[in-house]
Amino acid sequence: MAVKTSDSILRIKNPNKKEFVELWKQYQPFLIEGVAEYWNGYKNWSNDYLLEKCGNNIVPVSFFTKNYLNNSNYVLHENNNNNKEMKLKDYLDIISENKKIDLEYYMRDVDFVKYFPELTSDINYPDYFSIKPSIFFWFGSLGKTTTLHFDQLHNILVQIRGKKRILLFSPSNYLSFYPPLRESGAYGNFSKVNPITPNLELFPKFPWKDQIEVILQAGEMLYIPPLWWHHVTGIDQNISLSCWYDVKIKDFFRQKRLFSTTLNILPHYTRHSISSLSILKDLFKALW
C-alpha cells in the first residue's frame, strides 16, 4: 500500500477497500487522491452547468448578518440560525456578487439526493464501507466558515470545486475544547474556541499546538473519523460533498481509540441539557 505523509497527514492514491480499512483502523484523518477527480461532477459542475441542469430547483439556504459566521457567539446560536428557500439560480447570483445584499448566504448541509436529483449520476458513491452513505451538499464562497465541531459519523469529505482550509484536532480531553455545556440550547459537539484567532488567556487548556492544517484541493477526498474536531473555511467559491456513514458496533472495537474517546465524552453529555439528547442518540445510534 503506497502511502505518503504530507504536513502531518497521510495521503493515499486510489485505495482499494482493504487499503482504506487499514488506514481507517488507525483512527486518523487521511487524504485520498485519484478517485473524485474522475467523477463527472468534478469535470462538469461549473455554474453554467448547474444553471442548466437545476437552476430552477428550490433549495434551502442559511443567511446571516455580516461577519456573523466569525462571531464568537455563533456557536451558541448554531441551532437557531435563519434559513430560507430560493431558486438555485438566485443563490448563484448572490454568491457570484451579481446582486448587492446586506446579508451573508451559505448553502450548507443540503440533502443532495432530495434537492439535486439531476446531479446524482455525476458522482460515484465511495464504497469503502459496507453501507450506503447519506450525502450532503455544500456550496459556499470565500470565507464561509463552519465553526469548530465534531460529527458523530464517519465522514468522507469530497472537494468537487475550489478549495477549503480545514483545521483538524485529535479528540483528546473533551473539556479542553470548551464545549458550551452550560449554555441553554447550544450543542455539545461544538466548541466556543475559534482556532483561527487563538486566545490563550480565555482558553488556556485548548490544544493549540496539536492542530493539523489541510488545504483540501478540488478532486481530493478527506476522511474525518467520528469525534475528530474540525474547523472549515472556504478559500474561494467552492463545492463539496459530505458522505456520512453510520457508526456500527464493530467500529468501536476495530478503530483505535474510538471507544475510549466515546467514554471520555459520554459523562459530560449525560449532564448536559435535554437539548443534547438528540446528539447523544445519534452518537450511539449503533447501540439502539
Side-chain angles (χ1 to χ4, degrees):
M1 177 172 57
V3 177
K4 58 183 179 179
T5 303
S6 176
D7 296 329
S8 301
I9 190 166
L10 294 174
R11 183 183 293 267
I12 185 170
K13 187 169 184 178
N14 192 18
N16 57 37
K17 187 172 183 177
K18 181 179 179 180
E19 291 171 331
F20 176 91
V21 170
E22 286 303 309
L23 285 182
W24 170 89
K25 288 179 179 178
Q26 301 305 310
Y27 194 54
Q28 295 283 329
F30 56 90
L31 286 163
I32 302 172
E33 301 174 332
V35 178
E37 62 196 75
Y38 296 104
W39 294 1
N40 287 334
Y42 170 79
K43 299 174 183 177
N44 298 329
W45 284 5
S46 66
N47 286 355
D48 287 341
Y49 179 88
L50 296 176
L51 280 172
E52 179 183 349
K53 298 284 284 190
C54 44
N56 287 314
N57 290 22
I58 304 297
V59 295
V61 176
S62 299
F63 63 97
F64 316 89
T65 56
K66 292 290 185 180
N67 300 316
Y68 179 69
L69 289 171
N70 295 317
N71 189 301
S72 60
N73 291 323
Y74 167 59
V75 63
L76 306 182
H77 305 283
E78 163 67 11
N79 56 329
N80 295 320
N81 62 73
N82 295 318
N83 294 281
K84 65 167 61 177
E85 291 189 333
M86 63 175 63
K87 290 184 178 181
L88 176 63
K89 63 181 181 181
D90 294 329
Y91 178 70
L92 285 171
D93 274 343
I94 290 172
I95 65 171
S96 299
E97 299 182 349
N98 294 330
K99 290 183 178 180
K100 291 185 178 181
I101 54 174
D102 295 325
L103 298 171
E104 294 188 5
Y105 288 81
Y106 189 11
M107 186 190 301
R108 55 181 193 156
D109 209 12
V110 174
D111 188 324
F112 178 63
V113 175
K114 178 179 179 180
Y115 290 97
F116 297 101
E118 303 89 347
L119 302 179
T120 55
S121 61
D122 287 342
I123 70 167
N124 299 317
Y125 289 87
D127 59 357
Y128 303 119
F129 295 87
S130 59
I131 54 177
K132 190 175 181 179
S134 299
I135 298 185
F136 287 80
F137 186 91
W138 304 75
F139 190 178
S141 52
L142 170 67
K144 293 300 179 288
T145 297
T146 302
T147 317
L148 185 64
H149 71 289
F150 66 76
D151 299 310
Q152 298 83 21
L153 307 174
H154 301 287
N155 183 11
I156 296 180
L157 181 62
V158 186
Q159 195 66 25
I160 302 294
R161 240 178 67 189
K163 298 185 291 291
K164 282 184 171 176
R165 181 192 185 206
I166 303 173
L167 301 181
L168 297 156
F169 295 87
S170 176
S172 49
N173 179 10
Y174 172 64
L175 293 182
S176 68
F177 288 90
Y178 298 90
L181 296 180
R182 296 184 179 181
E183 286 81 0
S184 177
Y187 285 147
N189 64 322
F190 279 80
S191 170
K192 292 188 284 188
V193 179
N194 181 353
I196 302 297
T197 55
N199 188 328
L200 297 178
E201 292 185 4
L202 193 58
F203 306 113
K205 296 182 180 180
F206 186 80
W208 299 104
K209 297 180 180 179
D210 296 336
Q211 77 174 25
I212 301 172
E213 180 177 350
V214 176
I215 303 299
L216 191 62
Q217 307 279 350
E220 295 180 338
M221 304 163 68
L222 174 66
Y223 169 67
I224 305 175
L227 312 182
W228 265 72
W229 295 85
H230 50 286
H231 179 279
V232 184
T233 305
I235 295 177
D236 49 17
Q237 191 177 114
N238 67 88
I239 297 175
S240 54
L241 300 172
S242 287
C243 301
W244 278 318
Y245 301 81
D246 288 338
V247 174
K248 300 300 182 182
I249 293 177
K250 62 182 179 181
D251 297 346
F252 290 99
F253 303 98
R254 298 180 68 203
Q255 201 168 31
K256 291 182 179 180
R257 296 191 299 110
L258 176 58
F259 186 66
S260 61
T261 299
T262 302
L263 291 180
N264 176 261
I265 294 174
L266 180 58
H268 307 290
Y269 265 116
T270 58
R271 291 196 295 267
H272 191 29
S273 66
I274 194 69
S275 63
S276 292
L277 292 181
S278 62
I279 295 179
L280 183 62
K281 185 173 180 179
D282 287 341
L283 179 59
F284 298 104
K285 189 175 181 181
L287 303 178
W288 255 253

